Amino acid sequence: MKFLVGISRVFVGVLFIISGFIKLNDPLGFSYKLAEYFGQDVLNLPFLEPYSLMISVLVVVFEVVLGVFLLIGYKPKFTVWSLLLMIVFFTFLTFYSAYFDKVKDCGCFGDALKLTPWKALQKMLCYCFLFSFYLRE
């Protein structure tokens, strides 16, 4: 079991770091995607649209930092629970987007890898599966 935990820790940590660095390369593009999610068609939170750039930078930096924390084993409880909250929130958002066909590209990996909401949902469910090993330990 420790082997699976180690492999999944490295895999999830590297995925979060890569995903974060890709979005960090173009925070404005990610802010447009967030603004799309905040729009009236999706979450109906238009008051957050002016803050989408600031939120995108914070989310991306948090994503990279948590990925690094996961790899080095720093503050494991904080890291695991923070990542779990992010995964649950974005899984819900991705499912909502896919089910209601609101957003055509999830923006998970910026422009480097275009994923449909259904493909992104599969990725998020894989994260949840891999993450379940941490919660058992």
Side-chain angles (χ1 to χ4, degrees), residues 2-74:
K2 289 235 183 239
F3 178 73
L4 286 175
V5 170
I7 292 293
S8 61
R9 187 185 92 213
V10 169
F11 186 73
V12 172
V14 167
L15 275 177
F16 267 81
I17 291 169
I18 289 171
S19 172
F21 273 130
I22 288 171
K23 287 183 279 208
L24 197 57
N25 188 36
D26 183 19
L28 195 57
F30 185 52
S31 73
Y32 293 149
K33 187 56 63 179
L34 285 179
E36 190 176 353
Y37 278 113
F38 294 148
Q40 287 184 325
D41 289 345
V42 184
L43 292 178
N44 196 19
L45 300 170
F47 64 91
L48 289 176
E49 287 180 29
Y51 306 106
S52 60
L53 180 59
M54 182 179 61
I55 293 170
S56 73
V57 170
L58 290 174
V59 167
V60 170
V61 168
F62 197 55
E63 186 176 10
V64 171
V65 167
L66 287 176
V68 171
F69 281 5
L70 190 63
L71 284 179
I72 65 174
Y74 182 73

Side-chain angles (χ1 to χ4, degrees), residues 120-133:
L121 184 62
Q122 290 174 347
K123 176 194 68 114
M124 297 302 284
L125 293 176
C126 286
Y127 279 167
C128 291
F129 172 74
L130 290 172
F131 224 69
S132 69
F133 290 112

Side-chain angles (χ1 to χ4, degrees), residues 44-118:
N44 196 19
L45 300 170
F47 64 91
L48 289 176
E49 287 180 29
Y51 306 106
S52 60
L53 180 59
M54 182 179 61
I55 293 170
S56 73
V57 170
L58 290 174
V59 167
V60 170
V61 168
F62 197 55
E63 186 176 10
V64 171
V65 167
L66 287 176
V68 171
F69 281 5
L70 190 63
L71 284 179
I72 65 174
Y74 182 73
K75 297 222 181 230
K77 284 205 185 268
F78 168 78
T79 302
V80 167
W81 286 105
S82 297
L83 284 172
L84 182 64
L85 288 174
M86 282 184 75
I87 288 171
V88 167
F89 174 74
F90 283 110
T91 300
F92 162 76
L93 192 61
T94 305
F95 171 76
Y96 182 87
S97 171
Y99 186 77
F100 292 105
D101 199 28
K102 297 293 184 179
V103 178
K104 303 299 180 197
D105 172 30
C106 76
C108 306
F109 291 99
D111 287 335
L113 180 63
K114 298 280 189 185
L115 293 176
T116 65
W118 287 110

